[in-house]
Amino acid sequence: MSYILIFISAVFVNNIVLSQFLGICPFLGVSKKIETALGMAGAVAFVMTIATIVTFIIQKSILEPLEITFLQTITFILIIAALVQIVEIVLKKTSPSLYQALGVFLPLITTNCAILGVAILVTQKDMNLLESVVYAISTAIGFGLALILFAGIREQLSMVKLPKGMDGTAIALITAGLLAMAFMGFAGIVR
């Protein structure tokens, strides 16, 4: 039951983008087309899950036993950057088509604060490894859901004639705010 609560909470109630405001840069920058939003959502899901597993293991096996948890943030940043580079190299060698499909999304993930945020939140909430993986996957699904919904709305808005002052970033920010308010409706489901 706790895994279901983690899932519902991470996807809907405490959405990483719309509630915790992490990952806003790719949320606003990669959301003009549904295709690019899908690619970014998939890449984030993959890297977020792997990064959470590796950072959890490093936290529990090295940082906590040696009592050097003050190095957590810099360590996690280095791990995430290294993982993205490794994933990029492996994909380039083993699956060139998938590497081409992800394209620019892999380097963008290195600077995505949602991935670092999830790695840190897992340790702050004192989750075990399985809960951490469920949380990471659920958070990635929530990120993808918000990104794809936002991209769909922006595609529809691109076909509408808007007043000059509302075009571009202004309407994107207003739309993001309305989407965040819509997700606030889930707040009573889980604490």
Side-chain angles (χ1 to χ4, degrees):
M1 185 66 174
S2 69
Y3 299 117
I4 294 169
L5 292 176
I6 290 171
F7 177 81
I8 292 171
S9 176
V11 173
F12 299 110
V13 179
N14 297 317
N15 187 288
I16 196 86
V17 176
L18 301 174
S19 176
Q20 299 178 27
F21 307 113
L22 294 173
I24 296 290
C25 192
F27 179 70
L28 293 173
V30 188
S31 61
K32 291 183 181 171
K33 292 179 140 189
I34 291 179
E35 286 179 24
T36 55
L38 283 169
M40 183 61 151
V44 165
F46 183 69
V47 172
M48 188 178 286
T49 305
I50 292 174
T52 301
I53 293 168
V54 173
T55 55
F56 180 88
I57 292 169
I58 296 293
Q59 175 77 16
K60 296 297 181 187
S61 64
I62 296 173
L63 298 179
E64 287 179 6
L66 295 177
E67 296 179 4
I68 54 172
T69 54
F70 60 90
L71 294 174
Q72 178 188 54
T73 304
I74 191 71
T75 305
F76 286 8
I77 290 170
L78 291 172
I79 290 169
I80 292 166
L83 281 173
V84 170
Q85 290 302 311
I86 291 168
V87 167
E88 194 170 353
I89 291 167
V90 169
L91 283 179
K92 196 173 191 177
K93 298 276 185 196
T94 60
S95 180
S97 60
L98 182 59
Y99 175 76
Q100 290 295 327
L102 292 176
V104 73
F105 301 124
L106 281 173
L108 282 176
I109 291 171
T110 305
T111 59
N112 189 343
C113 60
I115 295 172
L116 177 62
V118 168
I120 291 173
L121 284 171
V122 161
T123 60
Q124 286 178 347
K125 293 181 180 188
D126 201 31
M127 296 180 171
N128 62 38
L129 184 59
L130 186 56
E131 289 172 339
S132 300
V133 170
V134 169
Y135 182 73
I137 291 170
S138 303
T139 302
I141 290 169
F143 177 83
L145 176 68
L147 188 64
I148 292 164
L149 285 172
F150 190 57
I153 294 169
R154 286 186 76 178
E155 276 189 5
Q156 292 295 316
L157 285 172
S158 69
M159 295 185 271
V160 176
K161 185 164 174 55
L162 295 169
K164 195 162 191 89
M166 293 293 290
D167 201 21
T169 306
I171 194 66
L173 292 173
I174 290 169
T175 305
L178 291 172
L179 193 58
M181 285 175 43
F183 270 68
M184 282 177 58
F186 294 111
I189 296 174
V190 180
R191 289 181 212 176

